[in-house]
Amino acid sequence: MKAEITVLAGDGIGPEITEHALKVLKAIEKKYDHDFILNDALFGGIAIDETGDPFPEETKDLCKQSDAVLLGAVGGPKWSDPKAKTRPEKGLLDMRSDLGVYANLRQIKTYPQLIDNSPIENSRLEGIDILFVRELIGGIYFGDKERSDDYAKDVCEYSSFEIERIVKVAADLSIKRKNKLTSVDKANVMATSQLWRSVTTSLIESEYPSIEMEHLLVDAATMHLLSRPADFDVIVAENLFGDILTDEASMLTGSIGMIPSASLGDNNFGVYEPIHGSAPDIQGKGLANPCGMILSVAMMLKHSLQLVQESNEIENAVESVLNDGMFTADLSSDHHVSTDEMGTAILTKII
Ligand code: IPM
Ligand code: MN
């Protein structure tokens, strides 16, 4: 198949992990005789340096005409001055909103090979496979904001349309899995959460009667994620709650470096990125784990290009390298391999 992919390597460890992800993508292209057209574009801090805008028009146009976007990471101390006119993170939020990618999927799966790496007791970690569906272009992230020296305001808004749209994505995924759906809110305090709960309840009752539905308040959810993580199947949450819960849940797997994500809009379009961020402290040191980025390529092949076999091949290659006992620094406190060694080992399983 032919596909156009925009590549935004971004800042920090973004470029070094993207390099390995692209090698894997090109190996798949060759092996399965596809035609992937890759276009690089500026995004994040590096785009601020060169154009003054973290998400320049040219990048936006390229993203809009492509089938999918691969994103490394953005941000770093160089662009973190609170008084700066703009920040890399602003580019990320503008991109999500402009491209309409409202459904952020983050899968938290424990790898038996990494179980000792998690701060949670091993017996609680077996069989964890949680799919988070985070609403990505609404809520407090995008509401009205005000900021002066002695006053600040962030408004949280949700419409029933936005809630229904994200809960449908979560419900459709959960019927293909264990048919269990947990919705997280703060309905004892927030009006948006009360609407969230009532829209979710009526949608599931009327259109997905087979789903076992559970509602959790977000504070309780943070505890349940640690005390009974293997009970969850699909968890749906608004933007801010989803942001916080997915970082917490990533620790179940032992390292945030392993986790890919897909941000989906309509018509199979998606932005694919690891959830770990730009990690400027380890940039250029060969310590970055390329797995989250490589697995993001696997998600892209599956969700945007419907290339399921190719996607599985990448996931199997990553597992197989872990089985061989190869771990990057985040996965092992004693012996570890470099970013390049890890990337090459995964690549070798494919070609
Ligand atoms: C994420 C990140 C972003 C978010 C930041 C960098 C704006 O934490 O993708 O989870 O809060 O959504
Ligand atoms: Mn986050």
Side-chain angles (χ1 to χ4, degrees):
M1 90 171 300
K2 189 169 173 173
E4 271 199 53
I5 297 154
T6 301
V7 181
L8 311 173
D11 310 314
I13 59 170
E16 53 201 276
I17 54 172
T18 301
E19 181 193 322
H20 290 287
L22 293 183
K23 281 187 186 159
V24 167
L25 181 61
K26 284 176 187 159
I28 290 285
E29 177 187 34
K30 191 160 171 226
K31 184 163 178 177
Y32 290 87
D33 207 14
H34 296 306
D35 185 8
F36 297 143
I37 301 156
L38 306 176
N39 298 309
D40 290 313
L42 289 171
F43 187 59
I46 184 174
I48 296 179
D49 288 350
E50 299 205 13
T51 70
D53 182 351
F55 186 42
E57 280 300 314
E58 209 187 330
T59 301
K60 190 193 297 181
D61 293 344
L62 213 51
C63 290
K64 282 194 170 160
Q65 71 182 48
S66 61
D67 299 295
V69 175
L70 265 182
L71 167 59
V74 294
K78 184 174 175 198
W79 306 282
S80 294
D81 180 354
K83 297 217 167 68
K85 268 210 335 256
T86 186
R87 294 179 60 121
E89 290 82 354
K90 164 109 182 13
L92 193 59
L93 299 184
D94 286 350
M95 178 180 72
R96 290 171 178 172
S97 171
D98 289 345
L99 301 180
V101 288
Y102 60 86
N104 182 228
L105 274 44
R106 296 179 170 183
Q107 189 173 13
I108 305 292
K109 235 168 80 172
T110 38
Y111 290 90
Q113 304 90 334
L114 302 179
I115 216 159
D116 287 332
N117 218 34
S118 171
I120 310 294
E121 200 184 296
N122 283 3
S123 64
R124 291 183 202 269
L125 295 175
E126 270 154 40
I128 293 181
D129 183 355
I130 310 172
L131 181 60
F132 279 91
V133 179
R134 167 188 173 193
E135 200 291 323
L136 202 60
I137 58 174
I140 203 160
Y141 274 62
F142 291 93
D144 264 4
K145 293 184 187 301
E146 256 181 66
R147 174 78 211 266
S148 67
D149 284 344
D150 53 6
Y151 176 78
K153 178 175 93 176
D154 296 285
V155 173
C156 182
E157 288 177 289
Y158 269 111
S159 67
S160 56
F161 166 77
E162 290 172 297
I163 299 168
E164 214 173 279
R165 161 172 91 167
I166 191 73
V167 177
K168 269 194 175 143
V169 171
D172 287 335
L173 288 163
S174 94
I175 54 179
K176 289 191 212 134
R177 293 168 45 104
K178 294 189 207 127
N179 229 10
K180 270 169 86 173
L181 179 62
T182 303
S183 169
V184 173
D185 62 41
K186 187 70 186 171
N188 54 348
V189 176
M190 292 170 65
T192 42
S193 281
Q194 285 155 11
L195 181 67
W196 182 281
R197 194 174 284 213
S198 78
V199 169
T200 302
T201 306
S202 19
L203 178 75
I204 300 301
E205 277 174 6
S206 60
E207 289 184 33
Y208 302 89
S210 71
I211 288 184
E212 188 190 323
M213 175 84 221
E214 164 187 50
H215 298 275
L216 280 182
L217 296 172
V218 63
D219 46 353
T222 61
M223 297 197 299
H224 290 240
L225 265 178
L226 301 182
S227 59
R228 55 176 187 96
D231 281 357
F232 294 103
D233 179 23
V234 178
I235 300 182
V236 63
E238 63 134 278
N239 204 345
L240 181 63
F241 298 160
D243 178 45
I244 298 167
L245 291 177
T246 50
D247 265 31
E248 183 196 10
S250 76
M251 289 313 290
L252 298 166
T253 70
S255 175
I256 198 169
M258 294 299 299
I259 304 167
S261 81
S263 302
L264 306 176
D266 292 324
N267 306 323
N268 299 326
F269 178 81
V271 177
Y272 299 85
E273 60 179 311
I275 81 163
H276 52 61
S278 62
D281 51 322
I282 59 165
Q283 178 182 357
K285 296 185 178 158
L287 296 174
N289 181 351
C291 291
M293 185 77 205
I294 290 172
L295 291 168
S296 297
V297 169
M299 285 192 98
M300 176 184 81
L301 294 173
K302 183 157 119 198
H303 291 281
S304 282
L305 309 181
Q306 280 69 52
L307 300 175
V308 177
Q309 191 184 343
E310 289 84 334
S311 173
N312 290 342
E313 174 146 5
I314 296 179
E315 288 179 359
N316 293 339
V318 170
E319 275 224 54
S320 155
V321 164
L322 297 177
N323 282 335
D324 293 345
M326 289 191 84
F327 303 120
T328 40
D330 54 317
L331 305 178
S332 163
S333 46
D334 37 277
H335 178 72
H336 61 83
V337 300
S338 69
T339 308
D340 286 352
E341 286 166 322
M342 192 73 172
T344 307
I346 295 167
L347 184 66
T348 314
K349 301 275 179 191
I350 291 167
I351 47 183

